[in-house]
Amino acid sequence: MTEEPRYGSWGGLQEGRSRRELRLAWRDDRLPEEALSDSSCLCHGNGRSYGDSCLNDGATLMSTRGMDRVIDFDPATGAFECEPGLLIKELLEITVPHGWFSPVVPGTQFVTIGGAVANDIHGKNHHLAGSFGSHVLSFELLRSDGSRLTCSESENPELFRGTIGGLGLTGLITRIRFRLKHVPGAHIEQEKHVFRNLSQFFEMTEELENRFEHTVAWIDCLSKGRSLGRGIMMCGNHASGSSLKAPRAGLLRSVPLTPPFTLVNAPMIRAFNEVYFQKNALSAGSSLIHHRPFFFPLDGVENWNRIYGRRGFHQYQCVIPHGAAEDAIGDMLKRIRRSRAGSFLAVLKRMGSQKPAGILSFSRPGVTLALDFSNHGAPTLELLEDLDRITRSSGGVVYCAKDARMSPESFQSYYPQWRELERLRDPAFNSSFWRRVTKDLS
Amino acid sequence: MKKILIIGATSAIAEATARLHAEDGDRLALIARNESHLEAVAQDLRQRGAESVSSFVMDANDFARHEEVLAAADESLGGIDFALIAHGTLPDQELCERSAQSMRDEFSTNCTSTLSLVTVLANMLEPRGAGSIGVITSVAGDRGRASNYVYGAAKGAVGLFLGGLRNRLHGSGVHVLTIKPGFVDTPMTADFSKGPLWATPSVIAKGIRSAQKRRRDVVHLPGFWLMIMLLIRLIPERIFKRLSI
């Protein structure tokens, strides 16, 4: 029996205190007896969810990383089928040389395909492509009663929509079939634009979305006054650039250990933001770059999450409906500035109008804002609670995959349809997150 | 394009090694006991770029079939450049202490079956004057320890046998590689807590491929295990017997 828990989450807030950690290896095997005899079990992919949605305190976690086999790849049609533990990184290594790309990629290539489905992830192309779930053709779900259900839009459609964005609660996905996107090569024709404040972002974003398949903005969350919400808009289209080589690793390849305290504080963020903004403002314009630095800029530094120290960090990501977005995001930035908390990573993206693919999907029409905060305990929780108040009053929602602290009240108001997922949940599956946010409100 | 035979192809180290060869566009023949697992591995390797993958279901303890299955695999490949023997189990040491039958069964899986397969392979390759035979043993075979001496003895015996075979085949053109992994994070070792000495199967796989290319005789993987085992072998038996390591 493993004594030291190995499977944590990216925010490093919770030490995963699973009672048992098992490894799954074969898609045709039954669920392990030890998992089914425990109070509950949950699949764990690569642990890149930030909070506790990939943890199962006091019960069983089952790692799917050993289930990383490709089942079918047709370079003529771009249909791809694999086991759930394959990483986006591994997928791209196999398909990009044949001119095919993942239909949707998040900000890191270290997530599993199973996780991409379970969190119905979105990316810089959401305005055109929607979320990952809308490209899934079918999957097989292994339930704790031993049944194997093929799920698609026509077969078991309820479980299909429940499992997409279903946080791993409906059973084990053993195989997933989805559509890849054809690309001319491994590169991106990139264009960077400066916006001097938040309203400029809202003015330019629509026009850029018409010209670019991928758009995302970094904002300086410590800027104030007339520059409130200044930032850089990064846009890109797939390109061939076949003569260019893949980028080499930078100087800092890995954060080797977790310092006892966070290295991220307000003066440092202010300095970083100033330099980052000015550097990008100077280099605004177009260039041809490899897809890796464009899509996964932080992946160049392994374990970057360790800079937040032993207490870890929170990520807050919300999406606010279009009409309310500009005011709500302005209010949030002011509130963050007041807290002197600040965040390196502050990302803004206008989402498309696609219908959410899953019952509990996060992505929906509106503007999404993502921010990282060092964990300082009570003051951090207070700040996040205040952000929640703004999100709630403007009709937005918070992303479950990023969350470690929202109240059951907030969750149930964001996702009133949660009872539908609760009904579809496999009785043997549960997570720390789900127990926390579905507590009865009395 | 190389022709690669892998016995115990569904083991984690074997699968990781097979993927490296698939990415190189090599031709693979796989042998393993569980048909559905074997098929999952074969299918994956085809998608990862292997020129072709053939698979054969065989239990290594089914000695009567060794010659026939190896001949069929050899035929499907059209020759063998590298044969990797990777099958094995981690015996329940306590059970093997209580039951001589269990001890013999484990010895058969981890030692005798390997020696039989290596003998057949050596006789196949010797007249051709080319090819490599790589066998995964273990650092556990370097010294008898209370916690796993059945496994250690089986792996140690294989190591000794390979030394002799290497000596016999020296000058024939056939290369014999003894692979001694340290702690590897695989399903076989799922129940151990992992520390800094643990390596992933893909690290071991890269070591195997490079050792085979460079025609090394004995490799410890990762390399630091050579130093650790040198020190452990230096401890006199009258002290070692008192230790629990």
Side-chain angles (χ1 to χ4, degrees), chain A residues 23 27 29 68-70, chain B residues 15 19 37 43-44 185:
Chain A
R23 278 194 286 183
R27 60 178 180 265
D29 284 3
D68 63 348
R69 297 179 192 88
V70 183
Chain B
E15 189 175 8
R19 284 183 182 179
H37 297 176
Q43 209 172 15
D44 173 73
D185 192 359

Side-chain angles (χ1 to χ4, degrees), chain A residues 53 84 94 97 116 125 135 143 158 166 256 268 284 354 386:
Chain A
S53 65
I94 295 167
N125 60 352
H135 304 270
R143 303 272 288 182
E158 249 200 327
M268 188 177 147
Q354 283 83 351
D386 285 354

Side-chain angles (χ1 to χ4, degrees), chain A residues 1-4 6 21 23 25-29 66 68-74 83 86 90 93-94 98 175, chain B residues 10-11 15 19 23 34 36-41 43-45 47-48 185-194:
Chain A
M1 169 90 40
T2 312
E3 279 158 25
E4 288 291 305
R6 274 174 289 151
E21 298 187 338
R23 278 194 286 183
W26 306 101
R27 60 178 180 265
D28 289 337
D29 284 3
D68 63 348
R69 297 179 192 88
V70 183
I71 299 168
D72 184 32
F73 170 38
D74 182 354
E83 295 178 350
L86 189 76
E90 296 160 343
E93 281 165 4
I94 295 167
H98 297 277
R175 52 201 294 164
Chain B
T10 56
S11 91
E15 189 175 8
R19 284 183 182 179
E23 284 155 18
N34 181 312
S36 87
H37 297 176
L38 179 59
E39 198 32 55
V41 171
Q43 209 172 15
D44 173 73
L45 296 171
Q47 307 300 337
R48 286 177 192 262
D185 192 359
T186 69
M188 191 172 96
T189 56
D191 292 347
F192 290 79
S193 14
K194 309 290 189 284

Side-chain angles (χ1 to χ4, degrees), chain B residues 114-158:
Chain B
T114 304
L115 304 188
S116 165
L117 290 161
V118 167
T119 301
V120 176
L121 278 167
N123 294 342
M124 248 155 111
L125 298 186
E126 192 179 13
R128 301 177 194 169
S132 292
I133 301 171
V135 182
I136 297 181
T137 67
S138 170
V139 294
D142 283 2
R143 192 106 204 219
R145 291 180 303 133
S147 59
N148 71 347
Y149 65 82
V150 173
Y151 182 70
K155 293 297 193 182
V158 172

